[in-house]
Amino acid sequence: MKRKLFALIIFAMALVISGCGNFDNYSKRDKVVEELDPTRNQERSTNQNTDNKLGYVSYTKDQMKNEPKQNVTIDRNKMADMISRIILQHKDFGEVATLVTDEDVLIAYEANDRIDDEDAADIAKKSALSVMPQYFDIHVSNNDGGIMNDIRSLHNSSTQNKNYDNYKDEIIKKMKNSPQDDKDNNKE
């Protein structure tokens, strides 16, 4: 009888300890996910502690020798979301559609008459440049010719679809009829 009671107590303690450990891991993961969320400050007050923290890492070649190679990935939806939100913070923009592909960023926008076409293109393109890696080609359009609808229809496609590249290239060709902010600080 004492053995059964002892085994039951040990089992209960193991459950409690393992349950607490999992809770702690979930809370740490949730904190990391929250810090990486570009919209984390949108609907609640700004957390001063998070905003004041800096990101820093330092490694030596020897430390990285035995580490498995990691693929760097980009959440294209979050990047498109972040770019659109940044552009919409400017008072002269009313609607923005952003599509991030494997190598291009397509941005269609509707801006009011108070902003010059070149300035609108400049704001849109610089907003994307501020968050995207340098190797992405960024294309902007003031939505003349229904570019926003074209981008919406392409977003359901896949890079594996054989017509995807052709359709994307057609949209980019249309977009080039709009100002592209081809000043000396941008690629093209």
Side-chain angles (χ1 to χ4, degrees):
M1 178 79 167
K2 288 183 181 181
R3 275 189 160 164
K4 286 184 180 180
L5 182 60
F6 182 73
L8 184 61
I9 290 172
I10 295 295
F11 180 72
M13 287 175 53
L15 279 176
V16 168
I17 290 171
S18 68
C20 291
N22 285 339
F23 177 76
D24 189 42
N25 287 340
Y26 286 126
S27 65
K28 286 179 187 175
R29 187 183 70 198
D30 290 343
K31 287 178 186 175
V32 170
V33 168
E34 182 178 303
E35 281 190 28
L36 294 175
D37 182 6
T39 62
R40 69 182 181 274
N41 295 324
Q42 292 295 322
E43 296 179 13
R44 57 186 182 271
S45 64
T46 303
N47 182 346
Q48 292 297 326
N49 292 333
T50 302
D51 289 344
N52 295 331
K53 289 186 180 181
L54 304 175
Y56 173 78
V57 297
S58 176
Y59 297 111
T60 65
K61 195 78 147 166
D62 290 337
Q63 289 173 317
M64 298 305 293
K65 248 186 226 178
N66 298 326
E67 290 287 320
K69 294 206 187 273
Q70 295 181 354
N71 291 330
V72 177
T73 59
I74 294 175
D75 186 328
R76 295 175 188 165
N77 283 326
K78 284 191 178 185
M79 298 309 277
D81 178 72
M82 190 181 314
I83 292 166
S84 293
R85 289 175 184 272
I86 290 170
I87 295 169
L88 286 170
Q89 288 179 8
H90 194 281
K91 65 182 186 270
D92 292 322
F93 289 86
E95 185 176 0
V96 177
T98 304
L99 178 72
V100 176
T101 72
D102 54 339
E103 56 191 21
D104 295 291
V105 178
L106 284 62
I107 304 169
Y109 54 85
E110 289 183 0
N112 61 34
D113 294 335
R114 291 183 300 222
I115 189 168
D116 181 82
D117 287 343
E118 286 79 18
D119 289 340
D122 183 53
I123 290 167
K125 198 161 199 176
K126 285 181 179 175
S127 296
L129 285 168
S130 71
V131 297
M132 295 304 297
Q134 190 176 15
Y135 64 86
F136 278 82
D137 290 321
I138 299 169
H139 310 279
V140 298
S141 173
N142 59 2
N143 198 33
D144 286 344
I147 301 289
M148 204 173 288
N149 289 329
D150 292 338
I151 289 175
R152 282 187 186 118
S153 65
L154 185 62
H155 95 276
N156 288 322
S157 189
S158 164
T159 57
Q160 302 300 316
N161 183 334
K162 59 184 173 183
N163 293 325
Y164 160 79
D165 278 327
N166 292 334
Y167 190 54
K168 180 183 77 166
D169 291 343
E170 286 178 33
I171 294 172
I172 291 171
K173 188 176 178 180
K174 279 190 203 178
M175 294 178 86
K176 288 189 177 191
N177 292 328
S178 297
Q180 292 296 304
D181 181 42
D182 292 326
K183 296 175 183 165
D184 58 346
N185 60 344
N186 294 304
K187 56 190 254 193
E188 281 288 15

